Amino acid sequence: MDNCIFCKIIAGDIPSKKAYEDDKIFAFYDIAPQAPVHILVIPKEHIASVDGINDSNSGIVAHIFECIPRIAADAGLTNGFRIVSNCGDDACQSVKHLHFHILGGKQLNGEMA
Ligand code: AMP
Ligand code: ZN
C-alpha cells in the first residue's frame, strides 16, 4: 500500500527494531513507547483497521493472537501485558494499518479510556 508507513516498515524502507517476524506478520518496538515494553504487531497484508477484518482475512488475526504470547514472553513480559487496537478517529488511530499494541513491563493503569 503506497504511503502506508507500516507497509514501508515491513518492506524495510523505514527502519524498525524488530521483535518478531514470520511469513504473515511483523512485530517491532513502538518509536514512542507508552510503557517500558511497547511492541506493535501487524499483518504483512495491508488491512486498514479492525473495521477491515472480514471472513477472508480473519485468519491473520487469529495468527497474530497465536503469536502474541511468545512475542510478549520473549520481550520479558512475565507478569502480564495489555493488548490495544485503536480503530478510527474516536480511538485516535494514527496509522491506518491494523496493529495491536503490546504494552507491559510495569503495573498498568486500571483505566482503559
Ligand atoms: P495508533 O495511534 O494506535 O494508530 O498507533 C500507532 C503507533 O505507531 C503509535 O504508538 C506510534 O508511536 C507508532 N509509530 C508511528 N511511526 C512509527 C515508526 N516509524 N516506528 C515505530 N512505531 C511507530
Ligand atoms: Zn499498510
Side-chain angles (χ1 to χ4, degrees):
M1 186 80 163
D2 291 346
N3 291 326
C4 171
I5 59 169
F6 286 180
C7 283
K8 288 179 178 164
I9 284 174
I10 293 163
D13 296 337
I14 294 176
S16 67
K17 184 181 170 196
K18 182 163 74 175
Y20 175 80
E21 180 175 18
D22 64 26
D23 57 330
K24 298 189 209 59
I25 71 172
F26 193 78
F28 56 104
Y29 284 83
D30 197 290
I31 202 167
Q34 296 191 35
V37 175
H38 187 170
I39 294 171
L40 302 172
V41 189
I42 65 177
K44 288 189 171 177
E45 170 188 352
H46 181 91
I47 300 169
S49 73
V50 169
D51 264 348
I53 299 170
N54 55 44
D55 275 357
S56 63
N57 63 20
S58 58
I60 195 89
V61 180
H63 181 66
I64 284 172
F65 276 82
E66 287 163 7
C67 292
I68 279 174
R70 178 152 47 103
I71 296 168
D74 287 350
L77 299 178
T78 56
N79 199 42
F81 54 86
R82 178 171 290 159
I83 302 298
V84 173
S85 188
N86 295 317
C87 178
D89 291 342
D90 277 4
C92 303
Q93 182 185 4
S94 60
V95 179
K96 308 299 195 236
H97 181 128
L98 178 65
H99 51 283
F100 296 90
H101 300 256
I102 302 175
L103 297 153
K106 69 171 185 179
Q107 178 64 60
L108 300 172
N109 191 323
E111 293 181 19
M112 285 189 284

